[in-house]
Amino acid sequence: MFADLIIINASNIATCRDDQQGAGIIENGYVAVKDGRIMEAAAGSPSKEIIGQSTQIIDASGKTVTPGLVDAHTHLVHGGSREKELPMKLKGVPYLEILKMGGGILSTVRNTRAASKEQLKEKAKKSLREMLLNGTTTVEAKSGYGLDFDTEIKCLEAAMELDKEQPVDIVSTYMGAHAVPEEYKGNTQGYMDFMFEKVMPYVAQYKLAEFVDVFCEEGVFSPEESRIIMQKAKELGFKLKIHADEIVPLQGAELAAELHATSADHLLAASDEGIEAMARAGITAVTLPGTSFYLMLGKYAQARKMIDAGVRVAIATDYNPGTNPTENLQAIMTFACFGMKLTPEEIIKAMTLNAAYAIDRQHEIGSIEKGKKADLVIFDAPNADYIVYHYGINHVDTVIKNGKIVVKNRQLI
Ligand code: IZC
Ligand code: ZN
């Protein structure tokens, strides 16, 4: 059987397979693709038997091949931006204080409500292009800047349409529990009832989201409220995520374990017991070191402790207009390295296979092994260390999505 496409002479191939140490590096090898799937990957050169007349050959001499990057935590669809909050941030006004004053998330809610679906799509499409050029082939996208029925649905529909209109795969999350909207100020219970009665059943019925996420944080949703929201989501058939222990320790990691969430995200203030509970329950930790940097927290999630405890650790951007406005996972690699002291191989695996686990796509994407989707990135870098070390620039040369070249010589095609 002839391959459709073969990447040859790759200096390094990070297979990111579960049964391999580190990132499962193959030196000087090739990757063959057939019908949009990985056919084989090995050291050396492909056998003549799989090279036909129409087999496309890409020479990756001096380059590194990885699975397509998976960004497992973003707030992709939103209106406006928040650069006007920079002076306040520099004066030291805390994030939760800005939110309390009606800024932060609530300012983005006003901009998102005012935008049309087409405007939101146009903005998100720009971000998706940026992501793809930087090597991201699958992205998780949360709603949560509408909060009212029409705007939440508008944002989820925008994500669903974008999934079909451009190459990056989108996995949707309903995050009505991102903040209590101004019209329900002081009436969190009323807002929860509204989500339970009006929004969540609709989102479930029309399959507008696969996950439900909750911002469990002081002054936002308490652990008790978060538990109720997550239980309700579970009853409706959603899989669960939680913004847990980001700023104030509230035993969010323990809650994720108790309710068997797919992932718990942030976790800067997670307790040792919470980490142990996550390991026992098999919850993927999504760490967001770009957010630690951008909020100037001087503190990162204890990724090493989590790994040692047996927790699967993913790394994502948290792309959003407030706490990490970047689509670029490569920049986050360097923060992960210096902030969380992970090795480049651990970081690549955390942004591919482990990130796939965080969105329940581990059987389809995240590693270079026979049968998986042929989502691949060729970095113009001789090894994973180099990508992380030479930071702030884009090393991506070629991106292959479902076996087709979608970025070539750093350009979208
Ligand atoms: O817009 O501030 N943490 N949600 C929870 C965010 C950050 C996004 C935002
Ligand atoms: Zn988030």
Side-chain angles (χ1 to χ4, degrees):
M1 192 168 49
F2 299 138
D4 296 330
L5 181 152
I6 311 180
I7 301 166
I8 58 165
N9 298 329
S11 186
N12 271 245
I13 300 167
T15 62
C16 298
R17 283 170 44 170
D18 235 353
D19 59 349
Q20 307 281 313
Q21 288 293 312
I25 301 286
I26 296 173
E27 287 180 16
N28 300 316
Y30 69 94
V31 183
V33 170
K34 175 84 184 162
D35 297 332
R37 301 267 156 186
I38 307 285
M39 188 177 170
E40 54 187 72
S45 303
S47 89
K48 297 250 176 332
E49 267 124 66
I50 66 166
I51 307 173
Q53 287 275 316
S54 60
T55 303
Q56 195 175 3
I57 303 285
I58 300 176
D59 190 337
S61 302
K63 300 194 170 87
T64 297
V65 182
T66 72
L69 303 181
V70 178
D71 196 342
H73 183 136
T74 84
H75 302 255
L76 174 70
V77 180
H78 59 263
S81 57
R82 307 225 290 264
E83 71 277 16
K84 286 203 173 65
E85 289 175 3
L86 262 176
M88 250 196 293
K89 276 180 63 136
L90 290 176
K91 280 204 196 103
V93 184
Y95 172 74
L96 292 174
E97 208 47 52
I98 297 175
L99 177 59
K100 234 192 237 166
M101 296 186 294
I105 296 173
L106 294 174
S107 115
T108 304
V109 167
R110 288 189 289 276
N111 284 321
T112 307
R113 287 180 178 179
S116 68
K117 184 158 82 176
E118 282 317 308
Q119 287 169 328
L120 292 170
K121 279 177 68 178
E122 216 34 64
K123 180 171 164 62
K125 212 175 229 175
K126 257 186 168 170
S127 288
L128 289 160
R129 256 183 248 139
E130 210 55 57
M131 288 172 177
L132 191 62
L133 282 166
N134 281 283
T136 300
T137 50
T138 302
V139 65
E140 184 263 3
K142 303 174 198 300
S143 71
Y145 291 117
L147 308 182
D148 63 23
F149 180 88
D150 287 351
T151 317
E152 282 297 303
I153 300 307
K154 176 170 77 180
C155 291
L156 290 169
E157 285 178 355
M160 188 174 244
E161 291 169 22
L162 285 166
D163 180 45
K164 299 193 181 82
E165 293 168 13
Q166 54 75 55
V168 180
D169 279 325
I170 300 175
V171 174
S172 273
T173 298
Y174 167 64
M175 196 173 178
H178 193 196
V180 176
E182 275 156 333
E183 61 272 22
Y184 281 97
K185 196 169 178 180
N187 181 15
T188 303
Q189 189 55 53
Y191 180 58
M192 286 164 57
D193 291 342
F194 159 74
M195 281 195 288
F196 298 161
E197 287 159 24
K198 298 276 179 342
V199 196
M200 279 162 59
Y202 186 92
V203 174
Q205 184 182 351
Y206 292 98
K207 297 195 182 346
L208 291 171
E210 185 174 330
F211 291 91
V212 162
D213 195 341
V214 181
F215 191 11
C216 178
E217 184 58 79
E218 196 168 275
V220 192
F221 293 93
S222 70
E224 295 71 31
E225 290 159 350
S226 300
R227 179 184 286 106
I228 294 167
I229 296 165
M230 290 165 83
Q231 278 167 339
K232 186 75 189 170
K234 214 173 184 174
E235 282 167 28
L236 286 166
F238 292 103
K239 290 178 269 190
L240 304 177
K241 292 180 165 288
I242 176 170
H243 281 57
D245 304 320
E246 176 179 357
I247 298 165
V248 180
L250 292 178
Q251 303 195 318
E254 287 87 336
L255 185 57
E258 175 193 324
L259 296 177
H260 294 278
T262 305
S263 76
D265 302 34
H266 287 291
L267 301 167
L268 272 72
S271 70
D272 290 352
E273 294 74 30
I275 292 172
E276 292 294 333
M278 284 181 57
R280 279 195 302 275
I283 315 294
T284 299
V286 179
T287 60
L288 303 157
T291 306
S292 297
F293 166 77
Y294 208 83
L295 283 175
M296 298 179 283
L297 295 174
K299 186 178 170 190
Y300 289 80
Q302 294 187 288
R304 175 66 55 212
K305 194 183 247 182
M306 293 179 199
I307 292 170
D308 290 345
V311 177
R312 189 181 286 281
V313 172
I315 302 170
T317 58
D318 195 14
Y319 169 63
N320 75 73
T323 64
N324 201 33
T326 182
E327 294 88 345
N328 184 358
L329 269 173
Q330 286 172 81
I332 307 304
M333 289 181 184
T334 307
F335 298 141
C337 185
F338 296 139
M340 306 198 298
K341 309 288 187 292
L342 298 191
T343 66
E345 284 197 44
E346 287 174 321
I347 292 164
I348 300 280
K349 190 147 176 188
M351 292 183 174
T352 53
L353 185 67
N354 293 356
Y357 270 95
I359 54 170
D360 195 25
R361 292 289 188 282
Q362 65 274 16
H363 302 299
E364 271 290 298
I365 55 172
S367 60
I368 300 178
E369 54 191 307
K370 191 177 161 63
K372 276 204 175 174
K373 253 193 199 185
D375 291 358
L376 299 161
V377 181
I378 306 177
F379 289 92
D380 186 7
N383 51 58
D385 287 2
Y386 189 87
I387 303 167
V388 177
Y389 144 86
H390 186 165
Y391 86 107
I393 68 152
N394 182 8
H395 295 283
V396 171
D397 179 274
T398 302
V399 180
I400 292 161
K401 178 71 194 159
N402 293 324
K404 299 266 180 316
I405 298 172
V406 289
V407 173
K408 191 176 175 180
N409 295 329
R410 302 168 179 262
Q411 307 285 327
L412 291 169
I413 56 169

